[in-house]
Amino acid sequence: MIRMELITYHYSLITNFTIFANMKQPTNSRVRFAVVLTHIIGWGIIFGFPFFFINRGGEPIDWIGYIRRSGVPLSFCIVFYLNYFIFIPRYLFNERVQKFLLLNLTLIVLMSGGLHLWQTIMFVNDIPKTPHKNMPPGWIFFVRDMFSMVLTISLAAAIKMSIRWGQIEAARREAERSRTEAELKNLRNQLNPHFLLNTLNNIYALIAFDTDKAQQAVQELSRLLRHVLYDNQQTFVSLGKEMDFIRNYIELMRIRLSSNVVVETNIDISPDNRTEIAPLIFISLIENAFKHGISPTEPSFIRIAFSESNGEVRCEITNSYHPKAETDKSGSGIGLEQVSKRLELIYPGRYQWQHEVSKDKKEYSSRLVIREE
């Protein structure tokens, strides 16, 4: 009877260990208390299990009976935490597998032998002097104890490795986030001089034939630079503010245009729109339209449209196509490459960008759709 009771007890402990091992193990320092509480609750359940085998019958708790049955969870606890705090991090994680196995083999033999001796001493009065003919031999219980120890070690390793994996994954995500932020910062640092160079080229062209317009352009530029120098340092700005910047930029570009160039804009976004968007994400597309869509001798056009609907921000630009000669060094030529890189870093899997030259080589179109989260 006692042997069957202990078998049931072992089975229940193994079940509790399995539940305990599969509990989510937080790795963030702010929830470390939750980890400690999880261990306390888990072991509280395990050490409280012997009460189910104590026949109190309304009488005071039989503490002697409880102590007699506490050897099993105590041995599991010792094996678990020796591996959890020492053997696994010091040997298994440092690829000293042979020493890890040797230490655990020694530990299993000692603890199983000690547990067998403890049960023999504590239950000596409960074991019948004439063994039942169907009772299994004593070595079966010794092997059972050893198997339970192996399972305990495996569960400790599983918990510890899951925590380690979580820490490694968190470190990988942090490294990826830092790399992304560094790349974005580098792109922003390239974008500022690129934008400034193109604008200064326009003002330089104005000085030669219209100083009044050049002065007006400098004033417009000062307002634009405020947006570039301050708002561009943020990860996101409001869509209304970005559209206001684009309107001012287009007006600045209009100053130097001749009468044979038609610029049409349709910005169907209110100035107080609070949707978040990456700053200057559209500016290179507009710069490209003014750079390649204008001819000093032929009729030219640029059509720019912005809209927002169904959780999507759309930018559609169409312009006449007048590619610059290879000797033309205006701009740095990195604008569209920046657009592609920034979109992939900020909106991975959340954007569609189509840009192409028409079959007759007379028109260039660009359509960018960004899906909001």
Side-chain angles (χ1 to χ4, degrees), residues 2 68 119-129:
I2 294 298
R68 291 164 65 187
Q119 292 173 349
T120 301
I121 295 174
M122 299 305 294
F123 293 98
V124 63
N125 295 326
D126 297 325
I127 300 176
K129 295 182 179 180

Side-chain angles (χ1 to χ4, degrees), residues 6 17 34 40 54 58 73 75 83 114 148 151 191 199 201 210 252 261 274 281 283 311 327 347 356 361 363:
L6 289 175
F17 264 115
I40 292 174
I54 299 174
S75 63
N83 276 274
S148 300
L151 182 59
L191 183 61
T199 308
N201 283 339
D210 194 330
L252 175 62
V261 181
R274 306 305 298 174
I281 196 69
I283 194 64
T327 56
Y347 301 104
E356 59 183 359
K361 304 297 182 180
E363 185 175 289

